[in-house]
PDB file of all heavy atoms in Angstrom:
ATOM      1  N   HIS A 204     102.695  98.166 104.187  1.00 83.00           N
ATOM      2  CA  HIS A 204     102.176  99.033 103.130  1.00 83.00           C
ATOM      3  C   HIS A 204     100.691  98.753 102.961  1.00 83.00           C
ATOM      4  O   HIS A 204     100.282  97.607 102.789  1.00 83.00           O
ATOM      5  CB  HIS A 204     102.913  98.789 101.811  1.00 83.00           C
ATOM      6  CG  HIS A 204     102.712  99.870 100.788  1.00 83.00           C
ATOM      7  ND1 HIS A 204     101.519 100.046 100.126  1.00 83.00           N
ATOM      8  CD2 HIS A 204     103.538 100.852 100.330  1.00 83.00           C
ATOM      9  CE1 HIS A 204     101.613 101.059  99.292  1.00 83.00           C
ATOM     10  NE2 HIS A 204     102.830 101.571  99.393  1.00 83.00           N
ATOM     11  N   LYS A 205      99.884  99.795 103.007  1.00 81.00           N
ATOM     12  CA  LYS A 205      98.430  99.639 102.997  1.00 81.00           C
ATOM     13  C   LYS A 205      97.904  99.022 101.705  1.00 81.00           C
ATOM     14  O   LYS A 205      96.794  98.487 101.670  1.00 81.00           O
ATOM     15  CB  LYS A 205      97.755 100.988 103.223  1.00 81.00           C
ATOM     16  CG  LYS A 205      98.022 102.036 102.151  1.00 81.00           C
ATOM     17  CD  LYS A 205      97.355 103.356 102.488  1.00 81.00           C
ATOM     18  CE  LYS A 205      97.616 104.414 101.413  1.00 81.00           C
ATOM     19  NZ  LYS A 205      97.047 104.021 100.110  1.00 81.00           N
ATOM     20  N   ASP A 206      98.680  99.092 100.630  1.00 85.00           N
ATOM     21  CA  ASP A 206      98.240  98.534  99.350  1.00 85.00           C
ATOM     22  C   ASP A 206      98.932  97.218  99.019  1.00 85.00           C
ATOM     23  O   ASP A 206      98.940  96.802  97.856  1.00 85.00           O
ATOM     24  CB  ASP A 206      98.500  99.544  98.217  1.00 85.00           C
ATOM     25  CG  ASP A 206      97.646 100.796  98.354  1.00 85.00           C
ATOM     26  OD1 ASP A 206      96.502 100.674  98.831  1.00 85.00           O
ATOM     27  OD2 ASP A 206      98.133 101.892  98.003  1.00 85.00           O
ATOM     28  N   ALA A 207      99.526  96.565 100.014  1.00 88.00           N
ATOM     29  CA  ALA A 207     100.199  95.284  99.758  1.00 88.00           C
ATOM     30  C   ALA A 207      99.213  94.240  99.237  1.00 88.00           C
ATOM     31  O   ALA A 207      99.511  93.468  98.327  1.00 88.00           O
ATOM     32  CB  ALA A 207     100.884  94.786 101.026  1.00 88.00           C
ATOM     33  N   GLY A 208      98.031  94.200  99.823  1.00 90.00           N
ATOM     34  CA  GLY A 208      96.983  93.309  99.324  1.00 90.00           C
ATOM     35  C   GLY A 208      97.200  91.832  99.598  1.00 90.00           C
ATOM     36  O   GLY A 208      96.575  90.985  98.944  1.00 90.00           O
ATOM     37  N   CYS A 209      98.068  91.477 100.545  1.00 93.00           N
ATOM     38  CA  CYS A 209      98.304  90.063 100.831  1.00 93.00           C
ATOM     39  C   CYS A 209      97.125  89.474 101.592  1.00 93.00           C
ATOM     40  O   CYS A 209      96.684  90.025 102.610  1.00 93.00           O
ATOM     41  CB  CYS A 209      99.592  89.898 101.637  1.00 93.00           C
ATOM     42  SG  CYS A 209     100.007  88.166 101.948  1.00 93.00           S
ATOM     43  N   ARG A 210      96.625  88.331 101.115  1.00 94.00           N
ATOM     44  CA  ARG A 210      95.497  87.635 101.753  1.00 94.00           C
ATOM     45  C   ARG A 210      95.771  86.128 101.877  1.00 94.00           C
ATOM     46  O   ARG A 210      94.848  85.326 101.948  1.00 94.00           O
ATOM     47  CB  ARG A 210      94.220  87.849 100.942  1.00 94.00           C
ATOM     48  CG  ARG A 210      93.661  89.257 100.979  1.00 94.00           C
ATOM     49  CD  ARG A 210      92.391  89.360 100.130  1.00 94.00           C
ATOM     50  NE  ARG A 210      91.455  88.292 100.439  1.00 94.00           N
ATOM     51  CZ  ARG A 210      90.542  88.358 101.410  1.00 94.00           C
ATOM     52  NH1 ARG A 210      90.459  89.449 102.164  1.00 94.00           N
ATOM     53  NH2 ARG A 210      89.707  87.353 101.633  1.00 94.00           N
ATOM     54  N   LEU A 211      97.025  85.748 101.886  1.00 96.00           N
ATOM     55  CA  LEU A 211      97.350  84.325 101.895  1.00 96.00           C
ATOM     56  C   LEU A 211      96.766  83.611 103.108  1.00 96.00           C
ATOM     57  O   LEU A 211      96.196  82.520 102.983  1.00 96.00           O
ATOM     58  CB  LEU A 211      98.873  84.144 101.856  1.00 96.00           C
ATOM     59  CG  LEU A 211      99.559  84.489 100.530  1.00 96.00           C
ATOM     60  CD1 LEU A 211     101.066  84.414 100.678  1.00 96.00           C
ATOM     61  CD2 LEU A 211      99.081  83.540  99.440  1.00 96.00           C
ATOM     62  N   CYS A 212      96.903  84.203 104.281  1.00 96.00           N
ATOM     63  CA  CYS A 212      96.397  83.544 105.490  1.00 96.00           C
ATOM     64  C   CYS A 212      94.886  83.456 105.465  1.00 96.00           C
ATOM     65  O   CYS A 212      94.295  82.423 105.838  1.00 96.00           O
ATOM     66  CB  CYS A 212      96.878  84.271 106.744  1.00 96.00           C
ATOM     67  SG  CYS A 212      96.382  86.018 106.844  1.00 96.00           S
ATOM     68  N   VAL A 213      94.223  84.524 105.020  1.00 96.00           N
ATOM     69  CA  VAL A 213      92.760  84.545 104.976  1.00 96.00           C
ATOM     70  C   VAL A 213      92.231  83.531 103.966  1.00 96.00           C
ATOM     71  O   VAL A 213      91.301  82.762 104.244  1.00 96.00           O
ATOM     72  CB  VAL A 213      92.248  85.961 104.624  1.00 96.00           C
ATOM     73  CG1 VAL A 213      90.729  85.972 104.456  1.00 96.00           C
ATOM     74  CG2 VAL A 213      92.660  86.951 105.700  1.00 96.00           C
ATOM     75  N   ASP A 214      92.835  83.513 102.783  1.00 96.00           N
ATOM     76  CA  ASP A 214      92.335  82.651 101.712  1.00 96.00           C
ATOM     77  C   ASP A 214      92.619  81.172 101.960  1.00 96.00           C
ATOM     78  O   ASP A 214      91.890  80.312 101.432  1.00 96.00           O
ATOM     79  CB  ASP A 214      92.956  83.067 100.376  1.00 96.00           C
ATOM     80  CG  ASP A 214      92.506  84.451  99.935  1.00 96.00           C
ATOM     81  OD1 ASP A 214      91.458  84.912 100.426  1.00 96.00           O
ATOM     82  OD2 ASP A 214      93.201  85.079  99.109  1.00 96.00           O
ATOM     83  N   HIS A 215      93.648  80.847 102.748  1.00 96.00           N
ATOM     84  CA  HIS A 215      94.007  79.446 102.945  1.00 96.00           C
ATOM     85  C   HIS A 215      93.468  78.855 104.247  1.00 96.00           C
ATOM     86  O   HIS A 215      93.537  77.636 104.428  1.00 96.00           O
ATOM     87  CB  HIS A 215      95.524  79.272 102.904  1.00 96.00           C
ATOM     88  CG  HIS A 215      96.102  79.378 101.522  1.00 96.00           C
ATOM     89  ND1 HIS A 215      96.554  80.560 101.011  1.00 96.00           N
ATOM     90  CD2 HIS A 215      96.281  78.454 100.543  1.00 96.00           C
ATOM     91  CE1 HIS A 215      96.995  80.369  99.775  1.00 96.00           C
ATOM     92  NE2 HIS A 215      96.849  79.103  99.479  1.00 96.00           N
ATOM     93  N   CYS A 216      92.963  79.679 105.141  1.00 96.00           N
ATOM     94  CA  CYS A 216      92.407  79.133 106.379  1.00 96.00           C
ATOM     95  C   CYS A 216      91.172  78.294 106.056  1.00 96.00           C
ATOM     96  O   CYS A 216      90.209  78.808 105.472  1.00 96.00           O
ATOM     97  CB  CYS A 216      92.034  80.258 107.343  1.00 96.00           C
ATOM     98  SG  CYS A 216      91.314  79.657 108.904  1.00 96.00           S
ATOM     99  N   PRO A 217      91.140  77.019 106.417  1.00 96.00           N
ATOM    100  CA  PRO A 217      90.024  76.142 106.009  1.00 96.00           C
ATOM    101  C   PRO A 217      88.720  76.418 106.740  1.00 96.00           C
ATOM    102  O   PRO A 217      87.673  75.915 106.332  1.00 96.00           O
ATOM    103  CB  PRO A 217      90.551  74.738 106.340  1.00 96.00           C
ATOM    104  CG  PRO A 217      91.502  74.957 107.474  1.00 96.00           C
ATOM    105  CD  PRO A 217      92.153  76.283 107.191  1.00 96.00           C
ATOM    106  N   VAL A 218      88.769  77.215 107.813  1.00 95.00           N
ATOM    107  CA  VAL A 218      87.545  77.488 108.586  1.00 95.00           C
ATOM    108  C   VAL A 218      87.265  78.985 108.684  1.00 95.00           C
ATOM    109  O   VAL A 218      86.453  79.414 109.504  1.00 95.00           O
ATOM    110  CB  VAL A 218      87.636  76.871 110.002  1.00 95.00           C
ATOM    111  CG1 VAL A 218      87.630  75.356 109.924  1.00 95.00           C
ATOM    112  CG2 VAL A 218      88.887  77.363 110.739  1.00 95.00           C
ATOM    113  N   SER A 219      87.938  79.794 107.864  1.00 95.00           N
ATOM    114  CA  SER A 219      87.723  81.244 107.834  1.00 95.00           C
ATOM    115  C   SER A 219      87.861  81.867 109.217  1.00 95.00           C
ATOM    116  O   SER A 219      87.052  82.710 109.631  1.00 95.00           O
ATOM    117  CB  SER A 219      86.339  81.566 107.243  1.00 95.00           C
ATOM    118  OG  SER A 219      86.210  81.049 105.943  1.00 95.00           O
ATOM    119  N   ALA A 220      88.899  81.455 109.950  1.00 95.00           N
ATOM    120  CA  ALA A 220      89.110  81.963 111.304  1.00 95.00           C
ATOM    121  C   ALA A 220      89.993  83.208 111.334  1.00 95.00           C
ATOM    122  O   ALA A 220      90.167  83.812 112.389  1.00 95.00           O
ATOM    123  CB  ALA A 220      89.735  80.877 112.175  1.00 95.00           C
ATOM    124  N   ILE A 221      90.555  83.608 110.174  1.00 96.00           N
ATOM    125  CA  ILE A 221      91.458  84.764 110.116  1.00 96.00           C
ATOM    126  C   ILE A 221      90.784  85.893 109.356  1.00 96.00           C
ATOM    127  O   ILE A 221      90.184  85.673 108.294  1.00 96.00           O
ATOM    128  CB  ILE A 221      92.791  84.394 109.450  1.00 96.00           C
ATOM    129  CG1 ILE A 221      93.451  83.227 110.181  1.00 96.00           C
ATOM    130  CG2 ILE A 221      93.733  85.598 109.418  1.00 96.00           C
ATOM    131  CD1 ILE A 221      94.735  82.754 109.551  1.00 96.00           C
ATOM    132  N   ASN A 222      90.865  87.083 109.917  1.00 94.00           N
ATOM    133  CA  ASN A 222      90.278  88.258 109.288  1.00 94.00           C
ATOM    134  C   ASN A 222      91.291  89.387 109.240  1.00 94.00           C
ATOM    135  O   ASN A 222      92.206  89.467 110.066  1.00 94.00           O
ATOM    136  CB  ASN A 222      89.041  88.718 110.069  1.00 94.00           C
ATOM    137  CG  ASN A 222      87.942  87.672 110.068  1.00 94.00           C
ATOM    138  OD1 ASN A 222      87.271  87.443 109.065  1.00 94.00           O
ATOM    139  ND2 ASN A 222      87.747  87.026 111.208  1.00 94.00           N
ATOM    140  N   LEU A 223      91.127  90.262 108.267  1.00 92.00           N
ATOM    141  CA  LEU A 223      91.933  91.470 108.159  1.00 92.00           C
ATOM    142  C   LEU A 223      91.064  92.664 108.537  1.00 92.00           C
ATOM    143  O   LEU A 223      89.920  92.778 108.084  1.00 92.00           O
ATOM    144  CB  LEU A 223      92.466  91.647 106.732  1.00 92.00           C
ATOM    145  CG  LEU A 223      93.423  90.571 106.215  1.00 92.00           C
ATOM    146  CD1 LEU A 223      93.790  90.854 104.763  1.00 92.00           C
ATOM    147  CD2 LEU A 223      94.677  90.511 107.067  1.00 92.00           C
ATOM    148  N   SER A 224      91.596  93.527 109.379  1.00 89.00           N
ATOM    149  CA  SER A 224      90.838  94.702 109.804  1.00 89.00           C
ATOM    150  C   SER A 224      90.536  95.587 108.605  1.00 89.00           C
ATOM    151  O   SER A 224      91.310  95.663 107.647  1.00 89.00           O
ATOM    152  CB  SER A 224      91.619  95.484 110.861  1.00 89.00           C
ATOM    153  OG  SER A 224      92.860  95.918 110.337  1.00 89.00           O
ATOM    154  N   GLU A 225      89.399  96.268 108.644  1.00 83.00           N
ATOM    155  CA  GLU A 225      88.982  97.113 107.530  1.00 83.00           C
ATOM    156  C   GLU A 225      89.641  98.482 107.559  1.00 83.00           C
ATOM    157  O   GLU A 225      89.636  99.200 106.564  1.00 83.00           O
ATOM    158  CB  GLU A 225      87.457  97.272 107.546  1.00 83.00           C
ATOM    159  CG  GLU A 225      86.709  95.949 107.349  1.00 83.00           C
ATOM    160  CD  GLU A 225      85.214  96.133 107.340  1.00 83.00           C
ATOM    161  OE1 GLU A 225      84.758  97.278 107.528  1.00 83.00           O
ATOM    162  OE2 GLU A 225      84.485  95.133 107.144  1.00 83.00           O
ATOM    163  N   ARG A 226      90.196  98.849 108.696  1.00 82.00           N
ATOM    164  CA  ARG A 226      90.842 100.154 108.816  1.00 82.00           C
ATOM    165  C   ARG A 226      92.365 100.005 108.772  1.00 82.00           C
ATOM    166  O   ARG A 226      92.918  98.969 109.088  1.00 82.00           O
ATOM    167  CB  ARG A 226      90.430 100.835 110.121  1.00 82.00           C
ATOM    168  CG  ARG A 226      88.929 101.164 110.199  1.00 82.00           C
ATOM    169  CD  ARG A 226      88.616 101.875 111.497  1.00 82.00           C
ATOM    170  NE  ARG A 226      87.205 102.228 111.576  1.00 82.00           N
ATOM    171  CZ  ARG A 226      86.650 102.860 112.605  1.00 82.00           C
ATOM    172  NH1 ARG A 226      87.407 103.227 113.630  1.00 82.00           N
ATOM    173  NH2 ARG A 226      85.356 103.150 112.600  1.00 82.00           N
ATOM    174  N   VAL A 227      93.016 101.096 108.385  1.00 79.00           N
ATOM    175  CA  VAL A 227      94.480 101.134 108.368  1.00 79.00           C
ATOM    176  C   VAL A 227      94.971 101.399 109.788  1.00 79.00           C
ATOM    177  O   VAL A 227      94.443 102.288 110.467  1.00 79.00           O
ATOM    178  CB  VAL A 227      94.981 102.221 107.404  1.00 79.00           C
ATOM    179  CG1 VAL A 227      96.499 102.307 107.432  1.00 79.00           C
ATOM    180  CG2 VAL A 227      94.467 101.951 105.983  1.00 79.00           C
ATOM    181  N   PRO A 228      95.987 100.680 110.319  1.00 78.00           N
ATOM    182  CA  PRO A 228      96.701  99.608 109.614  1.00 78.00           C
ATOM    183  C   PRO A 228      95.879  98.326 109.528  1.00 78.00           C
ATOM    184  O   PRO A 228      95.120  98.009 110.437  1.00 78.00           O
ATOM    185  CB  PRO A 228      97.950  99.397 110.475  1.00 78.00           C
ATOM    186  CG  PRO A 228      97.510  99.774 111.855  1.00 78.00           C
ATOM    187  CD  PRO A 228      96.556 100.910 111.668  1.00 78.00           C
ATOM    188  N   ILE A 229      96.025  97.623 108.425  1.00 85.00           N
ATOM    189  CA  ILE A 229      95.281  96.382 108.198  1.00 85.00           C
ATOM    190  C   ILE A 229      95.960  95.263 108.985  1.00 85.00           C
ATOM    191  O   ILE A 229      97.041  94.810 108.624  1.00 85.00           O
ATOM    192  CB  ILE A 229      95.233  96.060 106.695  1.00 85.00           C
ATOM    193  CG1 ILE A 229      94.611  97.219 105.934  1.00 85.00           C
ATOM    194  CG2 ILE A 229      94.464  94.776 106.445  1.00 85.00           C
ATOM    195  CD1 ILE A 229      94.660  97.078 104.429  1.00 85.00           C
ATOM    196  N   ILE A 230      95.321  94.814 110.048  1.00 89.00           N
ATOM    197  CA  ILE A 230      95.933  93.858 110.963  1.00 89.00           C
ATOM    198  C   ILE A 230      95.234  92.500 110.871  1.00 89.00           C
ATOM    199  O   ILE A 230      93.998  92.438 110.922  1.00 89.00           O
ATOM    200  CB  ILE A 230      95.864  94.382 112.415  1.00 89.00           C
ATOM    201  CG1 ILE A 230      96.633  95.700 112.527  1.00 89.00           C
ATOM    202  CG2 ILE A 230      96.428  93.363 113.384  1.00 89.00           C
ATOM    203  CD1 ILE A 230      96.508  96.355 113.884  1.00 89.00           C
ATOM    204  N   PRO A 231      95.982  91.397 110.744  1.00 92.00           N
ATOM    205  CA  PRO A 231      95.364  90.063 110.746  1.00 92.00           C
ATOM    206  C   PRO A 231      95.051  89.611 112.169  1.00 92.00           C
ATOM    207  O   PRO A 231      95.872  89.751 113.076  1.00 92.00           O
ATOM    208  CB  PRO A 231      96.440  89.167 110.115  1.00 92.00           C
ATOM    209  CG  PRO A 231      97.728  89.863 110.447  1.00 92.00           C
ATOM    210  CD  PRO A 231      97.433  91.335 110.481  1.00 92.00           C
ATOM    211  N   THR A 232      93.870  89.107 112.367  1.00 92.00           N
ATOM    212  CA  THR A 232      93.463  88.613 113.684  1.00 92.00           C
ATOM    213  C   THR A 232      92.870  87.214 113.544  1.00 92.00           C
ATOM    214  O   THR A 232      92.276  86.876 112.515  1.00 92.00           O
ATOM    215  CB  THR A 232      92.418  89.530 114.338  1.00 92.00           C
ATOM    216  OG1 THR A 232      91.272  89.653 113.473  1.00 92.00           O
ATOM    217  CG2 THR A 232      92.997  90.913 114.611  1.00 92.00           C
ATOM    218  N   ILE A 233      93.031  86.408 114.592  1.00 94.00           N
ATOM    219  CA  ILE A 233      92.514  85.037 114.605  1.00 94.00           C
ATOM    220  C   ILE A 233      91.368  84.947 115.598  1.00 94.00           C
ATOM    221  O   ILE A 233      91.491  85.378 116.752  1.00 94.00           O
ATOM    222  CB  ILE A 233      93.611  84.031 114.997  1.00 94.00           C
ATOM    223  CG1 ILE A 233      94.756  84.075 113.998  1.00 94.00           C
ATOM    224  CG2 ILE A 233      93.045  82.611 115.074  1.00 94.00           C
ATOM    225  CD1 ILE A 233      95.904  83.139 114.356  1.00 94.00           C
ATOM    226  N   ASP A 234      90.250  84.406 115.151  1.00 94.00           N
ATOM    227  CA  ASP A 234      89.115  84.152 116.036  1.00 94.00           C
ATOM    228  C   ASP A 234      89.405  82.875 116.819  1.00 94.00           C
ATOM    229  O   ASP A 234      89.417  81.782 116.232  1.00 94.00           O
ATOM    230  CB  ASP A 234      87.842  83.992 115.210  1.00 94.00           C
ATOM    231  CG  ASP A 234      86.608  83.790 116.077  1.00 94.00           C
ATOM    232  OD1 ASP A 234      86.747  83.520 117.291  1.00 94.00           O
ATOM    233  OD2 ASP A 234      85.482  83.876 115.536  1.00 94.00           O
ATOM    234  N   PRO A 235      89.646  82.958 118.138  1.00 92.00           N
ATOM    235  CA  PRO A 235      90.028  81.756 118.899  1.00 92.00           C
ATOM    236  C   PRO A 235      88.937  80.697 118.940  1.00 92.00           C
ATOM    237  O   PRO A 235      89.240  79.508 119.099  1.00 92.00           O
ATOM    238  CB  PRO A 235      90.326  82.305 120.302  1.00 92.00           C
ATOM    239  CG  PRO A 235      89.581  83.592 120.372  1.00 92.00           C
ATOM    240  CD  PRO A 235      89.581  84.150 118.991  1.00 92.00           C
ATOM    241  N   GLN A 236      87.686  81.107 118.792  1.00 92.00           N
ATOM    242  CA  GLN A 236      86.601  80.131 118.797  1.00 92.00           C
ATOM    243  C   GLN A 236      86.502  79.393 117.466  1.00 92.00           C
ATOM    244  O   GLN A 236      86.173  78.202 117.421  1.00 92.00           O
ATOM    245  CB  GLN A 236      85.268  80.832 119.104  1.00 92.00           C
ATOM    246  CG  GLN A 236      85.234  81.553 120.433  1.00 92.00           C
ATOM    247  CD  GLN A 236      85.529  80.620 121.606  1.00 92.00           C
ATOM    248  OE1 GLN A 236      85.055  79.477 121.643  1.00 92.00           O
ATOM    249  NE2 GLN A 236      86.324  81.097 122.556  1.00 92.00           N
ATOM    250  N   ALA A 237      86.793  80.097 116.378  1.00 94.00           N
ATOM    251  CA  ALA A 237      86.703  79.473 115.053  1.00 94.00           C
ATOM    252  C   ALA A 237      87.946  78.677 114.693  1.00 94.00           C
ATOM    253  O   ALA A 237      87.871  77.699 113.949  1.00 94.00           O
ATOM    254  CB  ALA A 237      86.444  80.538 113.997  1.00 94.00           C
ATOM    255  N   CYS A 238      89.102  79.078 115.219  1.00 95.00           N
ATOM    256  CA  CYS A 238      90.368  78.419 114.875  1.00 95.00           C
ATOM    257  C   CYS A 238      90.372  76.959 115.331  1.00 95.00           C
ATOM    258  O   CYS A 238      89.979  76.647 116.459  1.00 95.00           O
ATOM    259  CB  CYS A 238      91.524  79.179 115.522  1.00 95.00           C
ATOM    260  SG  CYS A 238      93.150  78.448 115.227  1.00 95.00           S
ATOM    261  N   ILE A 239      90.817  76.070 114.441  1.00 95.00           N
ATOM    262  CA  ILE A 239      90.902  74.645 114.787  1.00 95.00           C
ATOM    263  C   ILE A 239      92.344  74.207 115.042  1.00 95.00           C
ATOM    264  O   ILE A 239      92.607  73.024 115.247  1.00 95.00           O
ATOM    265  CB  ILE A 239      90.292  73.764 113.677  1.00 95.00           C
ATOM    266  CG1 ILE A 239      90.966  74.051 112.330  1.00 95.00           C
ATOM    267  CG2 ILE A 239      88.785  73.958 113.597  1.00 95.00           C
ATOM    268  CD1 ILE A 239      90.530  73.115 111.226  1.00 95.00           C
ATOM    269  N   ARG A 240      93.304  75.148 115.021  1.00 94.00           N
ATOM    270  CA  ARG A 240      94.712  74.880 115.335  1.00 94.00           C
ATOM    271  C   ARG A 240      95.367  73.933 114.331  1.00 94.00           C
ATOM    272  O   ARG A 240      96.247  73.136 114.681  1.00 94.00           O
ATOM    273  CB  ARG A 240      94.882  74.280 116.720  1.00 94.00           C
ATOM    274  CG  ARG A 240      94.555  75.173 117.906  1.00 94.00           C
ATOM    275  CD  ARG A 240      93.119  75.467 118.055  1.00 94.00           C
ATOM    276  NE  ARG A 240      92.748  75.816 119.434  1.00 94.00           N
ATOM    277  CZ  ARG A 240      91.704  76.559 119.723  1.00 94.00           C
ATOM    278  NH1 ARG A 240      90.952  77.063 118.759  1.00 94.00           N
ATOM    279  NH2 ARG A 240      91.397  76.802 120.984  1.00 94.00           N
ATOM    280  N   CYS A 241      94.952  73.990 113.053  1.00 95.00           N
ATOM    281  CA  CYS A 241      95.516  73.082 112.056  1.00 95.00           C
ATOM    282  C   CYS A 241      96.949  73.461 111.693  1.00 95.00           C
ATOM    283  O   CYS A 241      97.709  72.628 111.205  1.00 95.00           O
ATOM    284  CB  CYS A 241      94.645  73.043 110.809  1.00 95.00           C
ATOM    285  SG  CYS A 241      94.616  74.586 109.847  1.00 95.00           S
ATOM    286  N   GLY A 242      97.335  74.737 111.873  1.00 95.00           N
ATOM    287  CA  GLY A 242      98.712  75.155 111.641  1.00 95.00           C
ATOM    288  C   GLY A 242      99.029  75.613 110.241  1.00 95.00           C
ATOM    289  O   GLY A 242     100.181  75.944 109.952  1.00 95.00           O
ATOM    290  N   VAL A 243      98.047  75.672 109.345  1.00 97.00           N
ATOM    291  CA  VAL A 243      98.314  76.042 107.957  1.00 97.00           C
ATOM    292  C   VAL A 243      98.784  77.491 107.843  1.00 97.00           C
ATOM    293  O   VAL A 243      99.637  77.808 107.008  1.00 97.00           O
ATOM    294  CB  VAL A 243      97.057  75.796 107.093  1.00 97.00           C
ATOM    295  CG1 VAL A 243      97.169  76.491 105.756  1.00 97.00           C
ATOM    296  CG2 VAL A 243      96.859  74.309 106.879  1.00 97.00           C
TER     297      VAL A 243
END
């Protein structure tokens, strides 16, 4: 649902490696260079 508004992964990533696309569908993506593989 486009208005779900969930940002748990984005807000809890300690290195801001997760982003949500600005267009619908809103898809979470991980930056492999920024990700530190902490598993949170």
Side-chain angles (χ1 to χ4, degrees):
H204 196 288
K205 63 182 180 63
D206 294 326
C209 183
R210 290 180 49 87
L211 289 174
C212 59
V213 175
D214 294 340
H215 286 92
C216 179
V218 292
S219 301
I221 303 177
N222 297 287
L223 297 177
S224 60
E225 297 181 358
R226 296 182 178 180
V227 177
I229 303 173
I230 299 174
T232 57
I233 299 178
D234 183 347
Q236 301 302 319
C238 178
I239 56 173
R240 293 70 156 155
C241 68
V243 165

